[in-house]
Amino acid sequence: MAASPIDLKKCAVHTRTNKPWSLRQCCEAYAKRGIGGVSVWDDAYAGIGVAEARRIIDGTGLGVPALVRGGFFTSLDERVRTESLDHNRKLLDDAAVIGADMLVLVVGATPGLSLADARAQVIDGISRLLPHAEQTGVKLAIEPLHPMYADNKSCINRITEARSVADALDHPLLGLALDVYHIWWDPDLDDEITSVGADGRIFGFHVCDWKLDTNNLLTDRGLMGDGVIDVRGIRSKVESAGFHGWNEVEVFSERYWAMDQDAYLDLIVERLGSCT
Ligand code: ZN
């Protein structure tokens, strides 16, 4: 099935994508171009407070798909795990004030802890966090990360592992955020998207691209059309699986951060139309 034309009103940009800009600059520029939403990284409101962040966002009329990012449930030290849970509860409170639909979870991985033990800690952590998600009404979205991050960022690297956590906890507020950067290579991608969609657990969809000449695994992402990912094809699959939420642009790139951010945002809008 061909992807439907992209609707800017159903597109959002992560504040980290325009890292040089303040939250206000991001929101005003997105709204001016007809983009419908902003996904907020917590550093975007660190200096102004969450209530002021809400006022800024409301003033521009943008929707907020996600607060980014919570998680990091794993540690060899139980005290650290407890502190992490407290931090996640605070992030859920912040998400509720901002009006974010979901808190994105990068679940964590810890050198010296087996991936299997780490996954058990993730299930334990999310199960302890769910009551607070219920209180705030904010969803939790596990984001599987590319296996290159299995050392210290995420012990959940494929959709199937994230799905098994969601199955184990089976809660309506728990689902997945699918980021093309992390999932495009998965040999089971089509079936996995179909399965997670059938369960109604695709909460978020993040777009960017994997550059052929990537020189930094964290801060050299491509914009849609810069690389090898069939972003439009994956969007089509996700929509066929029943997802009709936001297309969130999430690009970390020293190269693009060095650009004039208005010109860069014009390019983002162009690529949303031509390559997403
Ligand atoms: Zn993402």
Side-chain angles (χ1 to χ4, degrees), residues 14 41 68 104 106 143-145 177-182 205-208 221 248 250 252:
H14 282 232
W41 280 61
V68 193
V104 172
V106 169
E143 181 166 1
L145 256 51
L178 302 182
D179 186 324
V180 298
Y181 198 71
H182 300 300
F205 181 56
H206 302 175
V207 296
C208 58
R221 284 194 186 197
E248 301 174 47
E250 187 188 37
F252 319 134

Side-chain angles (χ1 to χ4, degrees), residues 120-142:
Q121 289 188 358
V122 168
I123 291 178
D124 180 63
I126 295 176
S127 72
R128 289 167 190 254
L129 193 57
L130 275 166
H132 204 72
E134 288 172 1
Q135 283 174 30
T136 56
V138 176
K139 295 185 217 168
L140 298 174
I142 302 167

Side-chain angles (χ1 to χ4, degrees), residues 7-276:
D7 177 1
L8 272 187
K9 293 245 167 308
K10 290 185 72 179
C11 293
V13 181
H14 282 232
T15 54
R16 182 61 64 91
T17 301
N18 295 108
K19 190 177 165 191
W21 272 349
S22 68
L23 179 65
R24 182 182 295 281
Q25 285 176 302
C26 286
C27 291
E28 289 178 351
Y30 303 162
K32 189 175 156 197
R33 285 165 179 80
I35 294 166
V38 58
S39 283
V40 179
W41 280 61
D42 57 356
D43 63 348
Y45 61 85
I48 58 174
V50 71
E52 176 64 8
R54 174 66 184 255
R55 279 190 287 276
I56 290 169
I57 295 164
D58 281 352
T60 55
L62 296 175
V64 186
L67 175 65
V68 193
R69 60 194 181 179
F72 296 99
F73 298 106
T74 66
S75 175
L76 292 164
D77 184 341
E78 193 177 339
R79 194 172 42 95
V80 173
R81 295 204 298 278
T82 301
E83 287 168 3
S84 168
L85 276 174
D86 288 341
H87 181 61
N88 276 290
R89 291 187 188 101
K90 182 194 172 294
L91 289 172
L92 280 170
D93 293 338
D94 290 354
V97 173
I98 289 178
D101 295 339
M102 76 191 93
L103 175 65
V104 172
L105 302 176
V106 169
V107 297
T110 299
L113 187 67
S114 76
L115 290 172
D117 287 347
R119 288 177 196 130
Q121 289 188 358
V122 168
I123 291 178
D124 180 63
I126 295 176
S127 72
R128 289 167 190 254
L129 193 57
L130 275 166
H132 204 72
E134 288 172 1
Q135 283 174 30
T136 56
V138 176
K139 295 185 217 168
L140 298 174
I142 302 167
E143 181 166 1
L145 256 51
H146 189 283
M148 67 186 172
Y149 292 125
D151 53 354
N152 66 355
K153 279 198 172 58
S154 181
C155 60
I156 291 182
N157 309 103
R158 293 183 302 168
I159 298 173
T160 185
E161 278 107 35
R163 210 154 56 77
S164 69
V165 173
D167 284 346
L169 296 171
D170 193 23
H171 193 288
L173 289 178
L174 180 61
L176 277 64
L178 302 182
D179 186 324
V180 298
Y181 198 71
H182 300 300
I183 64 171
W184 70 278
W185 56 275
D186 189 334
D188 298 323
L189 184 62
D190 291 12
D191 288 346
E192 284 297 325
I193 287 175
T194 301
S195 297
V196 73
D199 294 337
R201 287 185 178 139
I202 304 176
F203 287 178
F205 181 56
H206 302 175
V207 296
C208 58
D209 209 341
W210 184 287
K211 290 169 58 192
L212 204 52
D213 56 349
T214 297
N215 64 33
N216 186 303
L217 297 177
L218 196 59
T219 59
D220 190 31
R221 284 194 186 197
L223 197 54
M224 301 76 74
D226 284 347
V228 298
I229 301 178
D230 177 14
V231 181
R232 180 168 289 174
I234 297 177
R235 179 168 74 87
S236 175
K237 289 181 184 104
V238 166
E239 290 181 355
S240 296
F243 175 75
H244 299 291
W246 297 91
N247 298 285
E248 301 174 47
V249 179
E250 187 188 37
V251 177
F252 319 134
S253 166
E254 298 287 353
R255 191 166 62 98
Y256 283 125
W257 290 332
M259 257 182 87
D260 172 78
Q261 293 299 289
D262 270 305
Y264 173 37
L265 189 57
D266 288 340
L267 185 61
I268 289 172
V269 169
E270 184 190 314
R271 296 293 181 83
L272 278 167
S274 61
C275 303
T276 306

